[in-house]
């Protein structure tokens, strides 16, 4: 019996594939309490989101927050420079060029051939008073 070998070349699409998960803490909130919204940005694509991609995160907080403190990957952001916030409507938006998310990494098991994807992750944190 002669062994049979087959090969195939598959061209992967070069693109980011983003997912946003939002969590709030604490679970029980009362008026005049500080709350933290944590937005986890995951990229399972093979291309990073870079500043020149001009990705923007928008959200409308209801109830409306006051006294915001915003950070991205642990670095403080400045209102008007890195994001906008309207305390009348609760509308929040990062400005273009602020959001970046690394590409995912891929590892193939040499025995099974199965691929494991580890998403690239960035975190946007918004703390405010209700």
């Amino acid at each position: 019996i002669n062994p049979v070998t087959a090969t195939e070349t598959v061209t992967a699409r070069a693109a980011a594939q983003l997912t946003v998960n939002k969590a709030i803490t604490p679970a029980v909130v009362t008026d005049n309490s500080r709350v933290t919204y944590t937005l986890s940005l995951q990229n399972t694509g093979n291309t990073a989101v870079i500043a020149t991609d001009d990705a923007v995160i928008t959200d409308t907080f209801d109830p409306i927050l006051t006294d915001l403190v915003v950070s991205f990957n642990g670095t403080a952001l400045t209102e008007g420079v890195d994001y906008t916030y309207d305390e009348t409507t609760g509308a929040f938006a990062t400005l273009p060029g602020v959001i970046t998310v690394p590409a995912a990494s891929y590892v193939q098991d040499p025995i099974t051939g199965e691929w494991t994807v580890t998403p690239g992750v960035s975190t946007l944190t918004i703390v405010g008073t209700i």
Side-chain angles (χ1 to χ4, degrees), residues 78-85 95:
T78 303
E79 186 172 7
V81 175
D82 302 307
Y83 70 92
T84 61
Y85 183 62
L95 294 178

Coordinates of all heavy atoms in Angstrom, one line a residue, residues 78-85 95:
T78 N -9.0 61.5 28.2 CA -9.4 62.9 28.5 C -10.7 63.2 27.6 O -10.7 63.0 26.4 CB -8.3 63.9 28.2 OG1 -7.2 63.5 28.9 CG2 -8.7 65.3 28.5
E79 N -11.7 63.8 28.3 CA -12.9 64.2 27.6 C -12.5 65.3 26.6 O -11.8 66.2 26.9 CB -14.0 64.7 28.6 CG -15.3 65.0 27.9 CD -16.4 65.3 28.8 OE1 -16.2 65.4 30.0 OE2 -17.6 65.5 28.3
G80 N -13.1 65.2 25.4 CA -12.8 66.2 24.4 C -11.6 65.9 23.6 O -11.5 66.4 22.4
V81 N -10.7 65.1 24.1 CA -9.5 64.7 23.4 C -9.6 63.3 22.9 O -9.3 63.0 21.8 CB -8.2 64.9 24.3 CG1 -7.0 64.4 23.6 CG2 -8.0 66.3 24.7
D82 N -10.1 62.4 23.8 CA -10.2 61.0 23.5 C -11.6 60.5 23.4 O -11.9 59.5 22.8 CB -9.5 60.2 24.6 CG -8.0 60.6 24.8 OD1 -7.3 60.5 23.8 OD2 -7.6 60.9 25.9
Y83 N -12.5 61.2 24.1 CA -13.9 60.8 24.0 C -14.8 62.0 24.2 O -14.4 63.1 24.6 CB -14.3 59.7 25.1 CG -14.2 60.3 26.5 CD1 -15.4 60.7 27.1 CD2 -13.1 60.3 27.2 CE1 -15.4 61.2 28.4 CE2 -13.0 60.7 28.5 CZ -14.2 61.2 29.1 OH -14.2 61.7 30.4
T84 N -16.1 61.8 23.9 CA -17.1 62.8 24.2 C -18.2 62.2 25.0 O -18.4 61.0 25.0 CB -17.8 63.4 22.9 OG1 -18.4 62.3 22.2 CG2 -16.8 64.0 21.9
Y85 N -18.8 63.1 25.9 CA -19.9 62.6 26.7 C -20.9 63.7 26.9 O -20.5 64.8 27.2 CB -19.4 62.1 28.1 CG -20.5 61.5 28.9 CD1 -21.2 60.4 28.5 CD2 -20.9 62.1 30.1 CE1 -22.3 59.9 29.3 CE2 -21.9 61.6 30.9 CZ -22.6 60.5 30.4 OH -23.7 60.0 31.2
L95 N -13.3 59.0 20.4 CA -13.0 59.7 19.2 C -12.2 58.8 18.3 O -11.5 57.8 18.8 CB -12.3 61.0 19.5 CG -13.1 62.0 20.3 CD1 -12.3 63.2 20.6 CD2 -14.4 62.4 19.5

